[in-house]
Amino acid sequence: MRSNRRMLTMAALLTVALALTSTTMAQTSPPQGDAAPTADNAVLLTIFFKHDQSRPLSELNAQLDKQGFRKAFPPPGVEVVSWYVMMGIGQVVTLRLPASRLREVNRVVEDTAWGPYRTEFYPTYDYKAVGMAQHDKATSN
């Protein structure tokens, strides 16, 4: 009887310790590295910033300024590949960054863009060289 109680107590303590560890790890701030994107670690991230069309643009811009969006986005060291206005939708931004900084970019968007924008994220990778090589090979036959 004592042995069973001891086993249950140990299992409960282990479960609590694991839960606290994973919760603590999930709440830590993202690494703020200055790693540069390279061929083996870079991802492209396309972000759709969809305007809240129920509010006037001046109000949206004021909220973006208040939340510090223009100061924080994009984070230093993250390359902007393209930044377009998509009329009737909002803005579409494609970034190139090391995969290790993905969480950092997400947090900047969550902290500074939500409200004026609804966001959608599309992480991708650069396939141009492979696709063009396949095309060239296919057309040379």
Side-chain angles (χ1 to χ4, degrees):
M1 184 75 139
R2 249 186 196 173
S3 178
N4 286 343
R5 188 175 296 159
R6 184 175 293 156
M7 289 282 283
L8 286 173
T9 302
M10 292 298 283
L13 289 172
L14 181 60
T15 301
V16 169
L18 288 173
L20 288 175
T21 301
S22 64
T23 300
T24 303
M25 289 175 66
Q27 297 302 317
T28 59
S29 60
Q32 304 268 328
D34 35 345
T38 62
D40 65 338
N41 76 1
V43 294
L44 294 172
L45 179 64
T46 300
I47 307 171
F48 278 54
F49 291 100
K50 295 183 173 187
H51 290 129
D52 177 354
Q53 295 181 3
S54 69
R55 298 165 53 199
L57 185 58
S58 60
E59 188 179 309
L60 298 176
N61 283 330
Q63 185 176 354
L64 287 169
D65 290 340
K66 180 181 175 188
Q67 292 174 186
F69 174 74
R70 291 180 179 92
K71 289 181 182 178
F73 184 85
V78 171
E79 177 189 353
V80 176
V81 175
S82 64
W83 195 326
Y84 295 100
V85 170
M86 187 179 293
M87 291 171 47
I89 300 293
Q91 298 180 28
V92 180
V93 180
T94 301
L95 307 173
R96 180 177 289 114
L97 59 141
S100 62
R101 297 191 63 196
L102 187 60
R103 181 171 183 243
E104 175 188 352
V105 171
N106 181 60
R107 287 300 306 268
V108 166
V109 171
E110 288 176 346
D111 290 341
T112 65
W114 284 6
Y117 296 118
R118 286 177 299 121
T119 57
E120 293 180 15
F121 293 84
Y122 299 95
T124 59
Y125 55 91
D126 191 348
Y127 192 72
K128 182 178 177 181
V130 174
M132 293 307 297
Q134 290 176 344
H135 171 75
D136 292 345
K137 182 179 177 185
T139 57
S140 68
N141 290 333

